[in-house]
Amino acid sequence: MIAAPGLVIGLAAGLRGWVLAGMAPLLSYAAGGLTGPWAAAAGLSFTPLTYAVSTVVFAAIAFGVRRWTVRHRRPAPDPGLWARRGHLAVLAGLLFATATGTAAALLGLGRIGALPQGFDAVYHGNAVRYIAATGDGSLFGTGHVNWYGDAAPVFYPNAYHLLAAVTYRLGGVSIPETL
């Protein structure tokens, strides 16, 4: 859910190589993070189907913008390919960051199915479950899991929760494993 939609959108926009790989998660979060509130405003539930349709719409827009800009602008000079050692250096950095992040997460959790009780992990777990159960992708929707009586609605930017809710609905694993 984090890579594939962004790859589709990025390819449609003309991105390639490491730029595409780096932008894919950001484009996925942008598509999901914008679709949730827009769907809620239109009275639609945020579901895997909603996210898939929005990915196609965002890809079509990216493709259209790319076609329009290519026609109305001179092409930039080709920067050329990187040397093999450049690709290997980026790959080594990516693998090191992945190993470090995985080790830190497992050190903090103890095991992958655990839900840490510190900070606000419980809120995030409940927010994912709430969106998956209700389809409420609005900007104030996750406030329902942490509502304090007559207090003003709680705004929380929820792109992470929206993509995690789709993953949870499609994955068949627990909320802690989804997080």
Side-chain angles (χ1 to χ4, degrees):
M1 290 305 104
I2 295 174
L7 285 172
V8 170
I9 296 166
L11 285 169
L15 303 178
R16 301 294 183 266
W18 290 112
V19 173
L20 175 61
M23 288 296 295
L26 301 174
L27 292 169
S28 293
Y29 277 113
L34 291 170
T35 301
W38 290 346
L44 301 171
S45 292
F46 185 80
T47 65
L49 179 61
T50 312
Y51 186 43
V53 169
S54 74
T55 297
V56 171
V57 169
F58 277 100
I61 292 168
F63 182 77
V65 168
R66 175 180 163 215
R67 295 277 303 226
W68 185 81
T69 58
V70 166
R71 283 192 202 145
H72 294 92
R73 192 175 54 149
R74 278 191 228 165
D78 185 13
L81 296 175
W82 289 4
R84 176 173 281 179
R85 69 175 185 259
H87 287 290
L88 292 175
V90 170
L91 183 60
L94 179 64
L95 292 174
F96 178 75
T98 300
T100 303
T102 301
L106 289 176
L107 179 67
L109 292 172
R111 62 183 173 78
I112 199 71
L115 186 60
Q117 299 300 304
F119 196 54
D120 59 355
V122 175
Y123 168 76
H124 292 296
N126 286 330
V128 169
R129 185 180 305 277
Y130 173 79
I131 294 171
T134 66
D136 182 2
S138 68
L139 294 174
F140 297 95
T142 59
H144 292 289
V145 302
N146 198 20
W147 207 276
Y148 297 105
D150 294 332
V154 178
F155 164 78
Y156 200 96
N158 59 358
Y160 167 72
H161 302 112
L162 290 165
L163 269 59
V166 170
T167 302
Y168 174 68
R169 288 185 66 175
L170 294 176
V173 297
S174 69
I175 291 289
E177 291 169 315
T178 300
L179 294 175

